[in-house]
Amino acid sequence: ASCVETPVDVINLSIGGPAAPDATEQSLFDQLIAGGTTIVAAMGNGSPTSYPAAIPSVVAVGATALDDTVAIFSNSGNHIAVAAPGKAIWSTLPTYAGQTGFLAANGPDGQPMQGKPMRREQNYDAWDGTSMVAPHVSGAAALLIAKSIVAENKLTPDQVRTALMT
């Protein structure tokens, strides 16, 4: 909602879920797009159609594998706008130790119980996912928009989506 009040040119959303937005969320998406904001959203990894990527006029981003084929984990659908490399993408991580969850273990009675903590990688790691792709596409969208602003003919969100697809 704050992006409606203080307009931005591009929003990256590396989030998603199976449910369509509620009326309030849909209204905000509609206002952002009508106001000239290009919204780029990750399509999701291995689940059914994911929102907000499935919202019309959102740039829905899928992932490709190292051999430039559709990554096995990447969602697909008729709403996909563009795909880009999404396998083994290097990302920065916290510099301090932490954990991502717990290993599964069996208790003395044979029942499942919480095991030892799973160590989180630190500094850098290569991750897979459409959420690793969306920021790169958002950057490309921002460059297209910046170029169009310099040319005094700012692209609309639909024009940015079409240019990326082309």
Side-chain angles (χ1 to χ4, degrees):
S2 63
C3 291
V4 172
E5 296 167 13
T6 307
V8 297
D9 290 324
V10 180
I11 295 175
N12 173 69
L13 296 173
S14 291
I15 59 170
D22 65 26
T24 301
E25 291 170 330
Q26 186 62 56
S27 174
L28 290 169
F29 279 106
D30 293 342
Q31 290 175 61
L32 285 165
I33 292 165
T37 299
T38 297
I39 302 171
V40 177
M43 295 225 10
N45 305 317
S47 60
T49 301
S50 183
Y51 291 88
I55 296 172
S57 296
V58 167
V59 180
V61 181
T64 61
L66 297 175
D67 62 357
D68 204 28
T69 60
V70 176
I72 193 166
F73 56 80
S74 182
N75 283 4
S76 59
N78 293 334
H79 59 290
I80 188 170
V82 66
K87 183 87 175 143
I89 305 300
W90 281 99
S91 182
T92 56
L93 300 174
T95 57
Y96 52 88
Q99 69 186 61
T100 60
F102 296 91
L103 296 170
N106 288 325
D109 59 358
Q111 295 298 311
M113 63 175 273
Q114 179 177 300
K116 296 180 181 178
M118 294 185 330
R119 184 179 66 85
R120 177 186 65 215
E121 293 297 325
Q122 293 173 243
N123 300 315
Y124 301 95
D125 198 9
W127 289 357
D128 302 342
T130 59
S131 290
M132 302 305 289
V133 177
H136 295 277
V137 176
S138 296
L143 291 171
L144 284 169
I145 293 166
K147 184 176 178 181
S148 72
I149 290 171
V150 169
E152 298 181 9
N153 187 22
K154 184 181 178 194
L155 296 173
T156 67
D158 282 337
Q159 289 171 323
V160 171
R161 185 176 189 273
T162 298
L164 290 169
M165 290 173 68
T166 301

